[in-house]
Structure formats: structure tokens, C-alpha cells
């Protein structure tokens, strides 16, 4: 009889150990599932890599928000016990709204950037490439505009060496031309190309496509300010209709 009871107790101990091991394994799996995926050293590259990095950042932020929520709940319990009002629900909703707005803004910016890059790559295959600023005078101005190609945008900056804003534009256009090779960027002295143009209207831009004048802009520093840079000038040229500027 003692021997049978001993066997029964041994069997019970074995079952208890198996149950404890099963519970431990389940807890480990749960912890592993909650853990964020490891980030690759140096970050991810390419469209898929960028989105993957963003997803990983989002997971980390969700974990942080969950920890904040847990703390708020604990604080709410403490305040409820003491009889003070709490705003946990309002704070939770605000965190969720801010997270949604951040995600939407990120994806919108990413889509716009990818669209500009795709247009730029497509244009490179279909249009002649330039890549540098071309200085033109009265004699070669017409050829520079009309012989650029039917779909090529030609940007002409009329400047004066005595106007500081014109000199700033010329410096920036060096980068604009190198970064937007399908756009033909030209500069010329206003007194040579348009002698009757008032100096107060400088810096001035003329935008052509297929030999036709699409748009023009004058005294651009009044619109862009005195300290405009590459991004501001590119945005201004896009507003004038130069769609290939990125």
C-alpha cells in the first residue's frame, strides 16, 4: 500500500512539473510576441526599408503609449480613491489622435517624395540632360530657348551684377541645375537681353517650354524674402510651372 501511495505522489509531482514548464513556456512566448522586432544596424534603405523602419518605430511608440496608459490608469485609481477628478480617457484619446495624425503626415510626405523621384527618373529617360548653368547673351538667347526640345523646361534668370539678390540666385542655380538635369537653366544679363527691363524688377525669371513663354516672375525677393535658399527657390520655380524641379 505504501508503495502504491508513493507511486501516486510521484505521478502527481511529475504532472505539476509539466504544468509549470508549460506555463513558463507560454509566458516566454507572450513576452517574445510583445517585444519589438530588432532594428538593423544603420537603418533600412529603399522604399520597403523606409516603411519597415517606420513600422518598427510605430511599434516602439505603441509600447511607450501603453506604458503611459498603464501609469495613467494607476494614477486614476489613486485619484479615485482620494475623491479627485481624473482625465485619463481624454488623455488616451489625445494620444491616439496624435499618433494617427503623425502616421498620416509621414505617409503623405513619403508618397509625395517618391512621386517626385519617379517623375525625375522617367524624365531622364525621355529628355536631354544638361546639369550645369548656361550663360546666354542677346545673340544666342533665342536658340537657347527654342532648340532645347519640345518637352524641356527652360529657365532663364535675368540678372544684374549690382543686385545682391541676383547674385544669390545665381549661386543657388548652380545646385538647381546639377540636381535637375532635365531642366535647362540659363542666366543672362538683363541689360543685354531685355534692355528696357527696370532694374527694380530683378531678379527676374522667364520660363519656356517648346519655345513658348509659359510664365514669368519679377523681383522675387519680395515674395521669398532676403534670406531665401535652395528649397524656397525650387518651390518658386515649381509655382511658375517648372514641373521637373524636385
Amino acid at each position: 500500500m505504501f508503495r502504491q501511495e508513493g507511486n501516486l505522489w510521484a505521478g502527481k509531482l511529475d504532472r505539476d512539473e509539466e504544468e509549470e514548464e508549460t506555463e513558463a513556456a507560454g509566458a516566454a512566448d507572450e513576452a517574445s510576441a510583445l517585444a519589438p522586432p530588432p532594428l538593423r544596424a544603420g537603418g533600412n534603405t529603399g522604399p520597403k526599408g523606409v516603411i519597415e523602419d517606420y513600422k518598427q518605430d510605430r511599434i516602439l511608440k505603441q509600447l511607450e503609449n501603453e506604458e503611459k496608459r498603464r501609469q495613467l490608469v494607476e494614477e486614476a485609481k489613486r485619484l479615485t480613491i482620494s475623491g479627485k477628478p481624473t482625465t485619463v480617457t481624454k488623455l488616451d484619446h489625445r494620444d491616439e489622435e496624435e499618433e494617427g495624425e503623425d502616421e498620416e503626415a509621414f505617409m503623405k510626405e513619403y508618397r509625395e517624395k517618391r512621386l517626385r523621384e519617379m517623375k525625375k527618373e522617367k524624365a531622364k529617360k525621355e529628355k536631354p540632360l544638361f546639369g550645369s548653368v548656361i550663360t546666354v547673351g542677346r545673340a544666342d538667347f533665342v536658340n537657347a530657348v527654342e532648340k532645347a526640345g519640345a518637352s524641356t523646361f527652360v529657365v532663364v534668370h535675368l540678372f544684374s551684377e549690382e543686385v545682391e539678390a541676383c547674385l544669390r540666385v545665381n549661386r543657388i542655380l548652380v545646385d538647381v541645375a546639377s540636381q535637375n538635369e532635365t531642366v535647362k537653366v540659363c542666366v543672362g544679363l538683363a541689360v543685354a537681353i531685355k534692355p528696357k527691363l527696370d532694374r527694380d524688377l530683378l531678379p527676374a525669371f522667364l520660363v519656356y517650354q517648346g519655345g513658348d513663354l509659359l510664365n514669368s516672375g519679377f523681383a522675387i525677393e519680395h515674395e521669398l524674402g532676403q534670406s531665401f535658399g535652395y528649397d524656397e527657390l525650387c518651390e518658386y520655380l515649381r509655382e511658375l510651372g517648372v514641373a521637373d524641379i524636385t
Side-chain angles (χ1 to χ4, degrees):
M1 181 175 178
F2 289 115
R3 189 171 184 179
Q4 291 178 349
E5 290 180 353
N7 291 335
L8 290 174
W9 278 106
K12 185 177 185 305
L13 289 174
D14 290 341
R15 287 194 297 273
D16 290 342
E17 290 178 357
E18 290 178 357
E19 290 176 358
E20 290 177 357
E21 290 177 357
T22 301
E23 292 176 358
D29 291 341
E30 182 179 355
S32 176
L34 292 174
L39 292 173
R40 286 181 283 174
N44 296 311
T45 59
K48 293 183 179 179
V50 172
I51 295 175
E52 185 63 26
D53 282 345
Y54 171 72
K55 289 180 178 179
Q56 292 174 349
D57 290 339
R58 185 181 176 190
I59 291 173
L60 292 175
K61 187 172 182 180
Q62 288 175 341
L63 293 177
E64 292 176 358
N65 289 340
E66 187 63 30
E67 177 62 20
K68 290 180 182 178
R69 184 174 301 178
R70 186 190 64 79
Q71 294 175 357
L72 288 171
V73 171
E74 293 297 326
E75 180 68 11
K77 291 179 180 178
R78 187 181 65 81
L79 293 175
T80 301
I81 294 174
S82 63
K84 296 180 181 180
T86 178
T87 57
V88 173
T89 302
K90 185 181 293 185
L91 290 174
D92 284 351
H93 290 169
R94 186 179 64 186
D95 288 342
E96 293 175 358
E97 291 174 358
E98 290 178 352
E99 181 180 346
E101 291 173 358
D102 290 343
E103 178 181 354
E104 183 178 353
F106 172 86
M107 295 306 298
K108 180 180 179 181
E109 181 181 354
Y110 178 74
R111 284 194 298 267
E112 291 175 351
K113 181 179 179 181
R114 284 294 301 149
L115 183 59
R116 289 196 299 268
E117 291 175 350
M118 291 170 65
K119 286 183 177 180
K120 186 175 181 180
E121 291 300 320
K122 181 180 179 182
K124 283 184 177 182
K125 299 177 181 179
E126 301 175 350
K127 297 181 180 180
L129 302 181
F130 302 96
S132 60
V133 176
I134 301 170
T135 301
V136 296
R138 187 176 184 85
D140 53 356
F141 174 76
V142 174
N143 285 338
V145 169
E146 293 184 348
K147 296 184 178 181
S151 60
T152 298
F153 288 100
V154 181
V155 175
V156 181
H157 172 222
L158 301 179
F159 73 98
S160 169
E161 293 178 341
E162 298 175 358
V163 178
E164 177 59 34
C166 289
L167 301 180
R168 174 186 288 271
V169 168
N170 280 348
R171 289 193 294 268
I172 297 173
L173 285 178
V174 173
D175 292 331
V176 173
S178 65
Q179 296 298 319
N180 301 274
E181 296 175 304
T182 61
V183 179
K184 188 174 184 178
V185 180
C186 303
V187 299
L189 287 170
V191 294
I193 298 174
K194 300 288 183 181
K196 295 182 180 180
L197 185 64
D198 194 319
R199 198 176 79 170
D200 291 339
L201 297 177
L202 304 179
F205 277 103
L206 304 176
V207 177
Y208 295 85
Q209 188 179 39
D212 298 325
L213 180 64
L214 294 182
N215 211 337
S216 58
F218 302 94
I220 68 171
E221 79 278 7
H222 295 315
E223 182 174 345
L224 301 182
Q226 296 295 328
S227 58
F228 62 88
Y230 178 89
D231 291 337
E232 290 79 11
L233 185 58
C234 286
E235 180 61 28
Y236 180 80
L237 293 175
R238 283 193 289 269
E239 291 177 358
L240 289 183
V242 188
D244 288 352
I245 292 288
T246 59

